């Protein structure tokens, strides 16, 4: 029991009967026991967790408690990041805001799809869970027919679109289906816009007609009361005058004749297809030429893809029909890619030149220094060395810094 002369500010803020022992990290309320601390959290709806965004004066930061506050905050961030990384990489789950694991459905290497990819030598690099590319991947294995339905990303003139393609489809057939579907959607969108514009135009024409009728009625009434009746010749001239056709009378056929026909993108020239090669060191996009007559799964044999294939389509001028000239035109188109794109052959040639340059630089280094660099220097160590942290040493350094600030 506390001394009756003790002021209330020196006692527990909940029971006011004992001196305080604990301080709430959230709002600095002082309590004497666990029961009083829990009572305070219920009354004030306090979480009891320190608010890292709360204002702290400069004088409070220059103390051992301020340094301890920052150290605990950074340590908490490191623990949370380590825990999240472990959950996503080892167990294949993601975390929500409350730390509850959310399991996401994903195909495994030992499943039917994984075995199918291994059989054809297709290496799929999986994107992190939650990324847009991972969510867009709908590649699946049909157990009944033992076939695979790919999610394919077509890139045409900078526009990207993901569609589903059966494994038995050739690159050219899949491209035609993509073009037909795109044209169907464009026509549907255009029809919707025309319907909306037609309704607005019809309302406008009706409003103009009503205005013309009102003006005619008022002019006829004025002519009957103030002016003489018009002669027969004048009436004939008025009745025979040509009237401009209204907007409503223009037929759809006339409108189609006024607008030039839109060319089909599939008939503008020869289309060449390239598979994107992921995880390269080049600043340009590395592409692998594809044969249009090859089935999709066969074209992906011994290839690397990121979640699902990305195929670039470039259209060039119409090539000759002779087989020899057509093959030569395809070869020229391969080497004349747009700026920012290179073929895998050009990429390998660049890497070979860089390797030769590196070997020349290494040979110019004296043998002893080169051995030190290879064994324990720049390229040393077969495995990654983990740096151990001495917590006691860190606390000693922090203590010295706090003592220096006090001086």
């Amino acid at each position: 029991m506390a001394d009756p002369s003790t002021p209330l500010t020196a006692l527990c803020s909940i029971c006011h009967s004992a001196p305080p022992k604990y301080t709430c990290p959230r709002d600095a309320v002082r309590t004497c026991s666990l029961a009083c601390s829990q009572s305070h959290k219920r009354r004030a709806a306090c979480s009891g967790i320190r608010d890292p965004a709360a204002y702290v004066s400069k004088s409070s930061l220059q103390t051992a408690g301020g340094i301890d506050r920052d150290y605990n905050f950074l340590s908490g961030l490191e623990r949370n990041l380590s825990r999240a990384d472990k959950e996503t990489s080892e167990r294949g789950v993601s975390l929500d805001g409350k730390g509850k694991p959310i399991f996401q459905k994903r195909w495994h290497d030992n499943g039917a799809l994984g075995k199918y990819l291994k059989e054809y030598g297709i290496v799929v690099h999986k994107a992190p869970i939650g990324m847009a590319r991972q969510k867009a991947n709908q590649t699946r294995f049909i157990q009944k027919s033992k076939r695979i339905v790919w999610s394919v990303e077509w890139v045409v003139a900078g526009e990207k679109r993901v569609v589903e393609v059966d494994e038995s489809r050739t690159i050219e057939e899949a491209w035609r289906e993509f073009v037909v579907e795109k044209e169907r959607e464009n026509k549907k969108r255009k029809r919707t816009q025309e319907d909306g514009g037609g309704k607005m135009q019809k309302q406008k024409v009706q409003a103009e007609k009503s205005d013309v009728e009102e003006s005619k009625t008022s002019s006829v009434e004025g002519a009957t009361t103030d002016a003489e009746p018009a002669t027969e010749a004048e009436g004939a001239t008025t009745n025979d005058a040509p009237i401009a056709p209204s907007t409503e009378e223009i037929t759809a056929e006339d409108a189609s004749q006024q607008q030039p026909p839109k060319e089909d993108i599939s008939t503008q020239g020869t289309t060449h297809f390239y598979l994107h090669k992921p995880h390269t060191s080049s600043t340009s996009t590395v592409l692998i030429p594809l044969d249009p007559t090859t089935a999709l799964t066969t074209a992906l044999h011994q290839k690397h893809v990121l979640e699902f294939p990305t195929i670039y389509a470039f259209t060039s001028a119409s090539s000759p029909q002779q087989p020899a000239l057509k093959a030569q035109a395809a070869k020229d188109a391969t080497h004349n890619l747009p700026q920012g794109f290179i073929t895998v052959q050009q990429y390998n040639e660049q890497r070979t030149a860089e390797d030769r340059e590196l070997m020349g630089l290494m040979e110019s280094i004296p043998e002893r220094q080169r051995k030190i660099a290879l064994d324990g220097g720049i390229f040393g160590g077969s495995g990654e060395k983990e740096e151990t942290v001495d917590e006691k040493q860190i606390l000693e350094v922090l203590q010295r810094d706090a003592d220096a600030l006090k001086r």
Side-chain angles (χ1 to χ4, degrees), residues 44-290:
C46 177
S47 62
I49 301 175
R50 189 189 305 273
D51 184 11
Y55 172 76
V56 180
S57 61
K58 187 176 181 180
S59 58
S60 299
L61 289 174
Q62 297 177 350
T63 60
I67 296 177
D68 181 65
R69 173 192 179 96
D70 293 340
Y71 177 77
N72 291 335
F73 173 68
L74 295 175
S75 299
L77 285 179
E78 186 178 357
R79 284 194 299 270
N80 291 336
L81 290 174
S82 177
R83 177 171 174 265
D85 183 67
K86 180 179 178 181
E87 292 287 346
T88 54
S89 61
E90 295 183 1
R91 299 179 56 194
V93 300
S94 62
L95 301 176
D96 62 3
K98 301 179 181 178
K100 182 180 179 181
I102 304 175
F103 289 85
Q104 299 188 8
K105 185 178 180 181
R106 195 170 189 179
W107 56 271
H108 300 282
D109 296 335
N110 295 328
L113 180 57
K115 294 178 180 178
Y116 184 92
L117 296 176
K118 288 180 181 179
E119 180 182 354
Y120 283 88
I122 303 173
V123 180
V124 177
H125 300 272
K126 300 178 183 178
I129 295 179
M131 300 295 287
R133 192 169 185 86
Q134 184 267 328
K135 293 180 180 179
N137 188 10
Q138 299 296 325
T139 302
R140 59 191 182 274
F141 182 77
I142 309 299
Q143 190 67 34
K144 185 176 181 180
S145 55
K146 304 295 182 183
R147 61 188 179 89
I148 188 174
V149 176
W150 285 97
S151 290
V152 176
E153 181 182 31
W154 291 101
V155 183
V156 185
E159 182 183 355
K160 300 180 180 180
R161 186 172 178 182
V162 180
V163 298
E164 293 186 356
V165 179
D166 191 272
E167 64 159 0
S168 60
R169 293 286 188 273
T170 63
I171 306 295
E172 191 173 7
E173 291 174 350
W175 166 251
R176 289 176 182 173
E177 293 176 358
F178 169 74
V179 170
V180 171
E181 182 63 25
K182 189 175 181 180
E183 290 179 350
R184 186 184 295 112
E185 292 184 358
N186 291 337
K187 289 180 181 179
K188 185 178 179 181
R189 190 183 304 109
K190 184 178 179 181
R191 192 182 305 114
T192 304
Q193 294 176 355
E194 290 177 352
D195 292 343
K199 289 181 181 179
M200 294 178 62
Q201 189 67 25
K202 190 174 182 180
Q203 294 176 358
K204 185 178 179 180
V205 170
Q206 291 177 353
E208 291 177 354
K209 278 186 175 182
S210 60
D211 293 341
V212 170
E213 290 177 358
E214 289 179 0
S215 62
K216 283 183 178 180
T217 305
S218 59
S219 62
V220 169
E221 291 177 355
T224 304
T225 54
D226 298 336
E228 294 182 357
T231 61
E232 185 177 356
E234 293 175 349
T237 303
T238 305
N239 295 332
D240 295 341
I243 301 175
S246 62
T247 310
E248 188 179 15
E249 295 175 359
I250 299 177
T251 61
E253 183 178 358
D254 297 334
S256 63
Q257 292 176 358
Q258 294 176 2
Q259 297 180 354
K262 214 170 186 181
E263 293 184 359
D264 187 0
I265 62 176
S266 62
T267 59
Q268 291 178 355
T270 304
T271 305
H272 304 276
F273 305 99
Y274 303 87
L275 177 68
H276 175 235
K277 180 179 177 61
H279 303 312
T280 59
S281 58
S282 176
T283 56
S284 302
T285 304
V286 182
L287 302 178
I288 303 174
L290 297 177

Side-chain angles (χ1 to χ4, degrees), residues 308-346:
F308 47 85
T310 299
I311 300 178
Y312 285 78
F314 298 106
T315 303
S316 60
S318 299
S319 58
Q321 297 298 323
Q322 288 81 358
L325 298 178
K326 194 172 182 180
Q328 182 63 31
K331 185 177 180 180
D332 296 339
T334 300
H335 291 281
N336 295 328
L337 290 173
Q339 187 176 3
F341 298 91
I342 60 174
T343 61
V344 67
Q345 182 180 358
Q346 296 170 342

